[in-house]
Amino acid sequence: MGIFFNDTKYGYIATEHTDATKEGKACAQSIMGLVAQGDASISAAKAAGGITQVSHIDYTAHSILGVVADFCTIVKGK
C-alpha cells in the first residue's frame, strides 16, 4: 500500500467456472482512518450482482494520503 497514493487491484479466488456472465461489487469507505462504513463482503457483492455461482473474486483498494480510502470486493459468476 502506498503512503501517499494507492490504486491497486488483485485477484484472490478463482474456480473452475470460467463462464461468468454477471458481476457484483461491494465497497467500504474510510475517512482519515477514523471513521469507516460499508459492507465489502463477498456476500454483499454476490447479492449486488445477483450471483449464485462464483467464478472469481477480485479486490480493489484506493487511498489518497490516508485521508479518503475505499476497499471493494468484485465477484464474477452466474
Side-chain angles (χ1 to χ4, degrees):
M1 184 166 156
I3 295 172
F4 297 110
F5 179 76
N6 179 33
D7 184 20
T8 56
K9 179 178 181 179
Y10 60 97
Y12 181 65
I13 297 173
T15 67
E16 67 278 357
H17 303 291
T18 58
D19 55 345
T21 57
K22 298 178 182 178
E23 179 177 299
K25 186 175 183 179
C27 299
Q29 299 79 31
S30 172
I31 299 172
M32 297 183 66
L34 300 173
V35 177
Q37 68 176 11
D39 182 356
S41 68
I42 294 170
S43 297
K46 283 176 60 179
I51 297 169
T52 56
Q53 291 183 344
V54 174
S55 64
H56 63 277
I57 300 169
D58 293 322
Y59 295 99
T60 62
H62 303 277
S63 175
I64 300 173
L65 296 174
V67 175
V68 178
D70 70 323
F71 179 81
C72 297
T73 301
I74 303 162
V75 175
K76 295 182 181 178
K78 55 183 185 169

